Amino acid sequence: MKWCHVPVADRALLGVADAGGFIELFQLVGAKESPFTLEPFARFALDKQCLALSLDWSTGRAGRASDQSLDIISSNSKGQLHLLKVDAAGPGLQCVATWQAHHFEAWIAAFNYWQTEVVYSAATCCDGATVSRCFSFHTGGDDGLLKGWDTRAPATPVFTSNRHSMGVCSIQSNPHQEGILATGSYDEHVLLWDTRNMVKPFADVPVQGGVWRLRWHPLHGHLLLAACMHRGFRVLNCRQAVEEKQDMCTVSASHKLPNSLVYGADWSWLTFCPLPQPQQLSHVGSFSCGEAGARTEDVEAAGQPPGPSSRSCLTDDMGEGWLKLQIANKTRTSLQPSMEGRKVSSLLHTPGIMICDRDLHVETANTNINLLATCSFYDHVLHLWKWESS
């Protein structure tokens, strides 16, 4: 699932790639006086008897031109890529091009946000095999390859790379700086590329876990969030790599979830602002996605007394502490505000601030306080985190 980066017909659009082989769009509707809901907007079948595996919007670039075409690139389990056009005034989704990109499942497809006629894709290392089998599979042919395509002439890839030694799971173009591409793989490495020269990456970051998702920070172009499966998640500081093309990224924060695999991770576009007057903050925590009847109120409860919670630390590679937000109780709970641990750079609850839309509070927003979310396998839990960067 991915939100479109810009409003469409004055409404937020959510894109979903589902197991039925469909790309579905939903629009967010509602008002302050009524709950927000998602309503179907458009639906497109990629192919018969396939799984839709990924999608990306062409709108990721910061400062995108208002007249830019609104497109979606998607991939499926047959190794095909589909370029779709979104038309708010027409039938919703139109297919522009479809082509066979890989011989195996195309797990990921993504735009170059600075040249949206260029897209990237990657396939698994073996057809229908488990991760453990892929680890022992000798790749060859199309297995596990990263490819680039010009959608105006997609018959032949612009480049093909086997620099990753196993299947590539995640690709994202940097929305803040032109020419920077991040890729992650089962080989437990994050690679940074200069898109003008895709022969060799300029940075190689080992993260000790298969990299299932990568997300650049919406404001800070040097911060990269990685979901590293059995190694949890990591926030990578790639300032020297991005700005000076040096092979240097450091781990600013990390956390490993016991007995689980982190498959999803993303930043929030919300930020923190000073409270206009004293009032109780919303409490941010985590909840089980598998719980029947889970409600929005179970995640965020403004003005409610705090309930039981658990506290632990995010740590970086220098051993510095970063407090996290997580609710351990599976019943109705809210976060326990804490005034402890002020010396470790972040608090579970910071008096005098509130969560706000940064676009509406540009001058007062504290961009050093970040919200992010992760989702994990086995325990089926969505975790919400607050991290204060220096």
Side-chain angles (χ1 to χ4, degrees), residues 74 211 273 298 354-355 361:
S74 63
V211 186
C273 303
D298 295 328
M354 65 177 181
I355 298 175
H361 300 81

Side-chain angles (χ1 to χ4, degrees), residues 43-357:
R43 195 173 193 235
F44 183 86
L46 297 183
D47 203 351
K48 296 179 180 179
Q49 298 180 338
C50 74
L51 307 177
L53 296 179
S54 75
L55 66 84
D56 194 20
W57 297 87
S58 62
T59 55
R61 175 185 172 182
R64 167 185 174 271
S66 58
D67 59 347
Q68 179 184 325
S69 175
L70 180 57
D71 299 323
I72 290 174
I73 188 67
S74 63
S75 63
N76 69 20
S77 56
K78 293 184 176 181
Q80 298 171 327
L81 298 189
H82 305 261
L83 181 64
L84 309 176
K85 183 176 294 293
V86 181
D87 186 355
L93 277 173
Q94 305 172 44
C95 184
V96 176
T98 297
W99 67 97
Q100 192 69 40
H102 301 273
H103 292 166
F104 300 115
E105 293 97 331
W107 278 108
I108 188 70
F111 278 101
N112 180 329
Y113 293 146
W114 299 81
Q115 295 177 278
T116 55
E117 67 275 7
V118 175
V119 298
Y120 308 102
S121 67
T124 56
C125 54
C126 42
D127 187 12
T130 63
V131 174
S132 60
R133 284 177 60 196
C134 284
F135 284 174
S136 61
F137 187 84
H138 179 71
T139 59
D142 270 351
D143 302 341
L145 296 180
L146 170 67
K147 296 184 178 183
W149 308 89
D150 186 330
T151 58
R152 297 166 297 186
T156 305
V158 176
F159 72 86
T160 299
S161 172
N162 61 355
R163 179 61 178 76
H164 280 289
S165 60
M166 297 180 189
V168 179
C169 311
S170 187
I171 305 170
Q172 195 179 37
S173 174
N174 190 313
H176 304 283
Q177 185 162 334
E178 186 174 2
I180 306 294
L181 185 73
T183 61
S185 166
Y186 281 135
D187 66 8
E188 304 186 350
H189 286 253
V190 173
L191 302 183
L192 299 184
W193 306 79
D194 183 333
T195 58
R196 298 167 299 181
N197 179 16
M198 294 296 293
V199 175
K200 181 181 179 181
F202 63 83
D204 184 338
V205 189
V207 292
Q208 288 80 51
V211 186
W212 194 255
R213 282 293 177 268
L214 289 171
R215 290 289 183 269
W216 291 103
H217 194 283
L219 286 180
H220 306 297
H222 64 283
L223 293 179
L224 182 62
L225 176 62
C228 303
M229 298 174 69
H230 67 279
R231 293 297 296 181
F233 69 90
R234 299 192 173 201
V235 178
L236 304 178
N237 184 334
C238 299
R239 185 183 298 277
Q240 286 183 271
V242 169
E243 295 179 358
E244 302 173 21
K245 297 296 189 298
Q246 296 184 17
D247 189 2
M248 174 65 70
C249 288
T250 59
V251 179
S252 292
S254 65
H255 185 75
K256 180 180 177 181
L257 297 178
N259 305 316
S260 195
L261 302 175
V262 176
Y263 271 90
D266 204 357
W267 301 98
S268 172
W269 285 58
L270 297 175
T271 188
F272 286 85
C273 303
L275 282 170
Q277 58 186 9
Q279 67 182 65
Q280 180 121 4
L281 288 182
S282 298
H283 302 109
V284 184
S286 65
F287 64 96
S288 172
C289 300
E291 278 186 56
R295 301 170 300 170
T296 303
E297 307 95 90
D298 295 328
V299 187
E300 182 173 307
Q304 297 297 321
S309 68
S310 68
R311 297 196 300 269
S312 60
C313 287
L314 302 182
T315 58
D316 64 8
D317 52 357
M318 299 300 291
E320 298 178 359
W322 306 89
L323 286 176
K324 71 161 188 171
L325 306 184
Q326 177 185 350
I327 289 177
N329 196 336
K330 290 187 178 181
T331 60
R332 171 72 170 86
T333 58
S334 60
L335 253 170
Q336 174 67 51
S338 172
M339 296 305 296
E340 302 170 357
R342 186 178 294 275
K343 62 182 179 180
V344 295
S345 303
S346 180
L347 298 177
L348 292 175
H349 177 95
T350 306
I353 64 172
M354 65 177 181
I355 298 175
C356 60
D357 185 339

